[in-house]
């Protein structure tokens, strides 16, 4: 664009050139405006994390005397470190379990023919529409009976089961765009279905499985309802619950501490998202091609 | 094998299910699973079916007082085996309150549901076992050949690969998704609320009374219609605004005049990359009437989240901030993969830029994202986080039962369960939500090409 731009300019009449300049200014003003609207709250929260005081009222976007005090307090006065580790462990396990489960489910629904396929596809879709925490009492009692209450890792069971419907559809949509001749070639070479899946299809699914992995890694960091129902002791909490309770009702006292905690969570997450932009984009468009 | 097996059009349902012709092998399998297979000289298969039946019987016997023994004063029902007790518990929801042998209704209902689900699986295997015995005997009569168990297992291993590999997912779904949903569904027909609080009290079946309350009691009716209409408005506006906002940003950045597209895009997707809960809690404080930096910056005292109408508007604006990046990414993905020849054709026809966008780009884009729009609508309909973390349903509405001005159905249900223990009414609302949202989505998906292909 840059190279053709200069020759374009020289061909224009002064009127056209004026118009182009105005359009340029308009576009860049808009872009800058949007960037400010997006960045201001982000800068403000980062700034608050380094603020001296503890209250919401006194915190400013750019701290006058930057300090790490809030981070120290976070680790000394709360179970933040434990919350972080709990959540990280759940996230990693959930990511692994989800990739295995939906990878196979997506393959099965995209490639194999079996009785009850249509019914299965429709029912997993409808399942998703039911407000998930309505089943919470049942899950609570179920966990109580199996001694899984107050065990952060047990949350992985629910998360990995809960993601199956949506992600199965997504993976299936992606695989539908992969030519079936790949599978057929493998069968001709004498591969079993399992071998075909493992050696041929799994590598092809890499981008969409990355999407599933990243999005499922994120779930426990944001989810509030489930752990708030199923986890009671402070040191077993996940980050979402811990941070929420830190700020709930006493925002004005703990706000800067909350901001510090938020920066420590949102920072890595945002970096991961930005790095994996390409896969997320592919995953999203794969979903769009379903229609 | 299947082709030999014929159905008559006027066959009764049970005949269609079990096989049109009941052979003696079939009858044997009706009474004891696997016996028909033994008669067909398929030992391996017979043992498999027989052992499944024995397994169920063993579970029942081992968990009953025949093996466990009784404790003095124990009610009869406590001595039943797992399945009998499950069925009894589901039907009665318990009959003893207080003391050592008190019944816990919700636990009984869940155990009952598990027993019923397992029995339904047994029923399916049982029907399959009869069908199989019939089928084999019938083929033998026609052709004089019997498939050996070995061949059968080989055949099963190949054809049921799909079921075998998806088994872990299916079991997880059955117990973690389906069973809880069924439980929530049945709670709507009980009196499980703050006044019937197990294990101190028993819960009873009350039929459709709770549904009647929504229609007949003014308080519940006002709340339901008020909250439902705000939920619908919210879901539509939240989806539409973020959709067009995302489209606008995607087109803006995609403009040939923009340099550094990647950098702009990276800035613009930032709200998507920050955990929603954190952004929402930050905004809650950002918009705080007394301490929030926004009012301090403006030097005004605006009740962003405390005025009923303004709170709704603020909610939509913040949701816009959060939701636009998702659609921007989505549209960017689609726009960059667009077939450029379409535009050349349009240019030849003398179309202006504006016309090209609205007549060519937009319709294609729209048709591609329709399924995701539906999902996004459904997600907004149930967008718990946005409301819970920002306003927690507030400001208060004195005309509502357990709900505030900005509460949507899902947060209302949450409050009913967590804060007020109105489990039965919450279940009723869940069923109503489910009917609305499930109905719309299913109808749409059934019409989509993706579904028709399979």
């Amino acid at each position: 664009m840059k190279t053709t731009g200069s020759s374009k300019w020289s061909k224009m009449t002064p009127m056209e050139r004026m118009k182009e300049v105005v359009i340029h200014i308009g576009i860049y003003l808009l872009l800058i405006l949007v960037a400010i609207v997006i960045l201001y709250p982000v800068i403000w929260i980062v700034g608050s994390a380094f603020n001296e005081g503890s209250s919401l009222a006194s915190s400013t976007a750019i701290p006058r005397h930057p300090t790490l005090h809030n981070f120290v307090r976070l680790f000394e006065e709360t179970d933040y470190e434990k919350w972080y580790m709990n959540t990280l462990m759940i996230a990693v396990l959930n990511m692994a379990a989800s990739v295995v489960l939906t990878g196979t489910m997506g393959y099965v629904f995209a490639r194999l023919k079996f009785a009850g396929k249509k019914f299965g596809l429709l029912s997993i879709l409808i399942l998703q529409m039911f407000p998930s925490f309505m089943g919470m009492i049942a899950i609570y009692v179920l966990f109580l009976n199996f001694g899984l209450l107050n065990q952060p890792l047990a949350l992985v069971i629910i998360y990995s089961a809960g993601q199956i419907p949506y992600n199965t559809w997504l993976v299936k949509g992606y695989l539908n765009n992969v030519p079936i001749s790949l599978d057929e070639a493998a069968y001709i070479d004498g591969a079993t279905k399992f071998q075909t899946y493992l050696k041929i299809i799994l590598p092809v699914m890499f981008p969409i499985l990355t999407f599933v992995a990243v999005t499922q890694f994120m779930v426990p960091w944001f989810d509030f309802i489930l752990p708030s129902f199923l986890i009671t002791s402070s040191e077993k909490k996940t980050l979402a619950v811990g941070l929420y309770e830190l700020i709930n009702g006493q925002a004005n006292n703990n706000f800067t501490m909350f901001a510090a905690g938020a920066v420590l969570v949102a920072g890595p997450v945002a970096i991961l998202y930005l790095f994996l932009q390409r896969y997320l984009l592919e995953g999203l468009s794969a979903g769009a091609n379903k229609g | 094998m299947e082709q030999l097996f014929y159905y008559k059009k006027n066959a009764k349902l049970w005949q269609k299910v079990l096989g049109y012709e009941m052979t003696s092998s079939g009858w044997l399998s009706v009474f004891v699973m696997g016996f028909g297979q033994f008669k067909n000289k398929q030992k391996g298969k017979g043992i498999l079916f027989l052992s499944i039946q024995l397994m169920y019987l063993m579970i029942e016997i081992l968990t009953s007082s025949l093996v466990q023994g009784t404790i003095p004063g124990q009610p009869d029902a406590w001595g039943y085996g797992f399945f009998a007790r499950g069925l009894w518990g589901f039907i009665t929801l318990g009959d003893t309150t207080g003391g050592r042998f008190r019944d816990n209704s919700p636990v009984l209902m869940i155990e009952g549901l598990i027993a019923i689900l397992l029995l339904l699986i047994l029923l399916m295997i049982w029907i399959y076992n009869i069908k199989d015995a019939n089928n084999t005997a019938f083929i033998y009569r026609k052709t004089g050949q019997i498939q050996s168990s070995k061949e059968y297992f080989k055949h099963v291993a190949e054809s049921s690969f799909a079921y075998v590999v998806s088994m872990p997912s299916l079991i997880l779904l059955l117990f973690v998704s389906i069973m809880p949903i069924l439980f929530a569904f049945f709670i709507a027909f009980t009196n499980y609320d703050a006044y019937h609080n197990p294990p101190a009290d028993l819960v009873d079946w009350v039929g459709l009374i709770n549904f009647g309350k929504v229609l007949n009691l003014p308080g519940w009716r006002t709340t339901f219609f008020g909250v439902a209409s705000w939920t619908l408005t919210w879901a539509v506006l939240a989806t539409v605004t973020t959709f067009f906002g995302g489209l606008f940003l995607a087109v803006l950045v995609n403009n040939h005049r923009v340099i550094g597209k990647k950098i702009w895009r990276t800035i613009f997707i930032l709200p998507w990359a920050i955990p929603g809960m954190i952004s929402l809690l930050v905004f809650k404080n950002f918009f705080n009437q007394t301490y929030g930096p926004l009012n301090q910056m403006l030097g005004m005292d605006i009740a962003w989240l405390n005025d009923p109408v303004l709170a709704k508007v603020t909610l939509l604006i913040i949701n816009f901030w959060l939701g636009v990046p998702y659609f921007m990414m989505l549209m960017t993905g689609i726009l960059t993969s667009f077939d450029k020849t379409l535009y050349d054709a349009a240019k030849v026809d003398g179309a202006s830029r504006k016309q090209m966008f609205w007549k060519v780009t937009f319709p294609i884009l729209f048709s591609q994202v329709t399924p995701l729009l539906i999902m996004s609508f459904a997600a907004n309909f149930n967008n718990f986080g946005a409301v819970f973390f920002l306003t927690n349903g507030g400001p208060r509405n004195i005309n509502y039962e357990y709900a505030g001005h900005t509460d949507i159905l899902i947060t209302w249900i949450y409050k009913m369960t967590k804060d007020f223990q109105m489990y039965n009414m919450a279940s009723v609302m869940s069923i109503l939500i489910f009917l609305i949202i499930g109905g719309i989505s299913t109808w749409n998906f059934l019409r989509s090409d993706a579904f028709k292909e399979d």
Side-chain angles (χ1 to χ4, degrees):
Chain A
M1 280 299 152
K2 271 183 237 166
T3 46
T4 54
S6 56
S7 62
K8 229 176 171 181
W9 282 108
S10 54
K11 279 183 208 154
M12 285 178 190
T13 63
M15 248 330 254
E16 279 173 335
R17 225 176 278 177
M18 268 296 279
K19 205 179 145 197
E20 258 315 288
V21 169
V22 171
I23 292 175
H24 266 86
I25 292 172
I27 285 177
Y28 280 99
L29 273 179
L30 262 176
L31 287 173
I32 291 165
L33 185 77
V34 175
I36 290 172
V37 170
I38 284 171
L39 288 175
Y40 187 78
V42 178
I43 292 169
W44 177 67
I45 189 84
V46 176
S48 300
F50 293 97
N51 237 298
E52 257 186 328
S54 64
S55 77
L56 172 62
S58 67
S59 66
T60 47
I62 294 148
R64 286 183 204 95
H65 309 283
T67 164
L68 288 173
H69 177 63
N70 293 315
F71 293 91
V72 177
R73 266 187 75 204
L74 193 65
F75 283 96
E76 279 176 358
E77 291 172 27
T78 70
D79 284 321
Y80 190 82
E81 200 184 327
K82 280 175 186 147
W83 301 338
Y84 209 98
M85 287 314 289
N86 288 338
T87 317
L88 187 67
M89 263 181 356
I90 299 173
V92 171
L93 281 179
N94 182 40
M95 181 173 78
S98 299
V99 167
V100 173
L101 289 176
T102 28
T104 43
M105 282 291 267
Y107 168 72
V108 164
F109 277 108
R111 285 297 201 255
L112 306 178
K113 284 195 178 6
F114 55 93
K117 183 173 171 180
K118 228 173 188 174
F119 173 76
L121 269 176
L122 192 65
S123 40
I124 56 171
L125 192 85
I126 296 174
L127 269 185
Q128 209 196 335
M129 305 295 168
F130 204 83
S132 59
F133 67 78
M134 269 321 294
M136 205 60 70
I137 312 158
I139 289 181
Y140 187 89
V141 176
L142 202 68
F143 271 39
L144 186 76
N145 282 347
F146 285 95
L148 296 172
L149 269 189
N150 211 9
Q151 304 234 3
L153 290 185
L155 290 172
V156 173
I157 301 174
I158 309 178
Y159 289 140
S160 55
Q163 56 86 34
I164 292 174
Y166 180 83
N167 286 331
T168 297
W169 270 86
L170 202 64
V171 176
K172 177 189 171 312
Y174 181 87
L175 272 183
N176 283 349
N177 294 331
V178 174
I180 196 141
S181 53
L182 269 181
D183 305 43
E184 281 158 0
Y187 292 146
I188 289 168
D189 289 343
T192 63
K193 276 176 187 151
F194 188 63
Q195 285 169 330
T196 313
Y197 172 62
L198 222 55
K199 300 232 165 94
I200 311 289
I201 300 299
L202 217 48
V204 175
M205 284 203 291
F206 186 73
I208 192 73
L209 289 183
T210 312
F211 181 81
V212 172
V214 175
T215 46
Q216 282 314 112
F217 181 82
M218 298 308 164
V219 169
W221 304 91
F222 320 153
D223 185 55
F224 172 79
I225 308 180
L226 263 172
S228 77
F229 262 104
L230 301 175
I231 309 282
T232 46
S233 68
S234 169
E235 57 179 47
K236 293 196 169 164
K237 273 179 190 142
T238 63
L239 267 170
V241 181
L243 278 181
Y244 177 74
E245 285 172 3
L246 199 62
I247 201 177
N248 191 28
Q250 39 189 345
N252 208 28
N253 296 323
N254 287 334
F255 186 76
T256 49
M257 204 151 78
F258 166 82
V263 167
L264 289 183
V265 185
V269 169
I271 290 169
L272 201 64
Y273 257 75
L274 299 181
F275 263 108
L276 296 170
Q277 242 183 82
R278 191 168 69 86
Y279 292 117
L280 294 169
L281 203 80
E282 271 179 55
L284 276 177
S285 333
N289 285 331
K290 283 190 307 199
Chain B
M1 177 166 166
E2 297 289 328
Q3 296 92 317
L4 276 166
F5 190 63
Y6 71 97
Y7 295 112
K8 278 202 178 158
K9 269 192 187 148
N10 56 355
K12 291 195 180 79
L13 181 69
W14 68 271
Q15 288 172 322
K16 279 187 181 167
V17 173
L18 298 176
Y20 187 68
E21 207 158 326
M22 282 301 282
T23 60
S24 53
S25 298
W27 279 116
L28 272 174
S29 274
V30 169
F31 297 108
V32 183
M33 275 169 52
F35 273 23
Q37 281 74 9
F38 286 132
K39 186 169 183 287
N40 290 340
K41 300 196 182 69
Q42 294 180 315
K43 261 194 216 150
K45 220 199 274 187
I47 289 170
L48 180 73
F49 283 122
L50 187 62
S51 54
I52 291 173
Q53 189 175 20
L54 287 177
M55 195 177 72
Y56 272 82
L57 272 175
M58 286 308 285
I59 293 176
E60 177 70 15
I61 292 167
L62 287 175
T63 51
S64 72
S65 53
L66 281 175
V67 176
Q68 308 270 324
T70 52
I71 311 161
Q74 172 184 299
D76 282 348
W78 282 62
Y80 296 167
F82 178 76
F83 294 106
R85 188 170 146 79
L87 290 177
W88 167 84
F90 187 79
I91 294 164
T92 63
L93 296 181
D95 54 17
T96 320
T97 49
R100 185 178 186 182
F101 297 108
R102 67 176 178 205
D103 288 317
N104 190 335
S105 305
V107 176
L108 284 178
M109 192 196 261
I110 287 170
E111 286 172 354
L113 276 174
I114 294 174
I116 290 170
L117 285 175
L118 290 174
L119 285 174
L120 281 177
I121 294 174
L122 179 68
L123 181 72
M124 269 163 17
I125 301 174
W126 184 63
I127 289 173
Y128 179 76
N129 135 79
I130 301 170
K131 216 169 149 177
D132 175 79
N134 263 336
N135 231 341
T136 316
F138 192 69
I139 291 168
Y140 179 68
R141 207 184 292 168
K142 286 249 161 173
T143 64
Q145 279 176 332
I146 284 212
Q147 189 191 29
S148 75
S149 286
K150 218 181 202 170
E151 281 167 351
Y152 170 78
F153 286 125
K154 215 173 161 188
H155 169 77
V156 166
E158 188 58 22
S159 70
S160 60
F161 179 76
Y163 303 111
V164 175
V165 291
S166 48
M167 199 49 82
S169 300
L170 292 179
I171 291 172
L172 265 182
L173 279 176
L174 186 66
F175 287 103
V176 184
S177 299
I178 298 174
M179 196 278 290
I181 286 175
L182 286 174
F183 176 78
F185 176 82
F186 285 115
I187 288 293
F189 303 93
T190 68
N191 59 1
Y192 188 8
D193 55 25
Y195 314 105
H196 300 85
N197 203 358
D201 312 305
L202 289 173
V203 169
D204 286 307
W205 295 108
V206 294
L208 292 166
I209 288 176
N210 299 322
F211 290 87
K213 275 188 198 165
V214 178
L215 296 172
N216 299 325
L217 291 186
W220 284 104
R221 195 173 53 208
T222 321
T223 321
F224 176 72
F225 286 109
V227 174
S229 63
W230 160 237
T231 309
L232 269 176
T233 319
W234 150 262
V236 170
L237 287 179
T239 310
V240 169
T241 49
T242 47
F243 173 79
F244 282 103
L247 178 63
F248 177 76
L249 273 190
V251 172
L252 185 72
V253 177
N254 236 22
N255 192 300
H256 62 95
R257 296 179 184 88
V258 174
I259 299 164
K261 289 188 179 14
K262 261 209 174 128
I263 299 166
W264 291 113
R265 233 171 250 152
T266 304
I267 295 175
F268 292 172
I269 69 163
L270 215 57
W272 189 40
I274 298 170
M277 188 203 85
I278 288 179
S279 321
L280 287 163
L281 286 176
V282 168
F283 274 118
K284 180 189 187 160
N285 292 291
F286 196 73
F287 283 87
N288 185 306
Q289 192 177 349
T290 348
Y291 306 110
L294 189 65
N295 271 350
Q296 290 188 350
M297 206 163 65
L298 298 171
M300 282 193 271
D301 187 41
I302 302 172
W304 296 107
L305 295 168
N306 297 329
D307 173 76
V309 179
L310 199 55
K312 288 180 181 180
V313 177
T314 314
L315 206 58
L316 279 167
I317 292 171
I318 292 170
N319 182 70
F320 183 74
W321 190 91
L322 290 165
V324 160
Y326 169 81
F327 276 109
M328 190 198 78
M329 285 289 275
L330 183 62
M331 310 293 188
T332 308
I334 298 169
L335 282 179
T336 44
S337 65
F338 244 59
D339 189 1
K340 298 284 180 296
T341 52
L342 276 174
Y343 294 109
D344 298 334
K347 246 182 218 165
V348 172
D349 289 344
S352 70
R353 279 197 158 273
K354 211 172 166 186
Q355 279 175 323
M356 271 198 271
F357 180 79
W358 289 110
K359 297 268 160 71
V360 181
T361 315
F362 189 72
I364 300 175
L365 205 79
F366 194 73
S367 74
Q368 283 208 18
V369 296
T370 318
L372 288 179
L373 267 180
I374 300 163
M375 277 199 228
S376 169
F377 172 80
N380 277 320
F381 199 93
N382 283 333
N383 196 338
F384 176 82
V387 175
F388 181 77
F389 292 119
L390 267 181
T391 62
N392 199 6
R396 264 194 67 191
N397 187 333
I398 45 162
N399 297 320
Y400 280 2
E401 301 263 358
Y402 311 110
H405 279 286
T406 53
D407 262 318
I408 56 175
L409 286 165
I410 195 102
T411 53
W412 184 32
I413 291 174
Y414 179 83
K415 280 186 187 168
M416 273 194 268
T417 44
K418 184 108 203 228
D419 303 339
F420 303 102
Q421 280 96 43
M422 299 294 291
Y423 299 111
N424 53 351
M425 292 312 283
S427 282
V428 170
M429 296 310 156
S430 309
I431 292 173
L432 294 177
I433 290 189
F434 179 65
L435 290 178
I436 301 171
I437 199 76
I440 296 173
S441 314
T442 311
W443 179 72
N444 266 303
F445 269 106
L446 283 176
R447 292 186 326 151
S448 76
D449 298 334
F451 196 73
K452 284 179 193 149
E453 279 164 21
D454 292 291

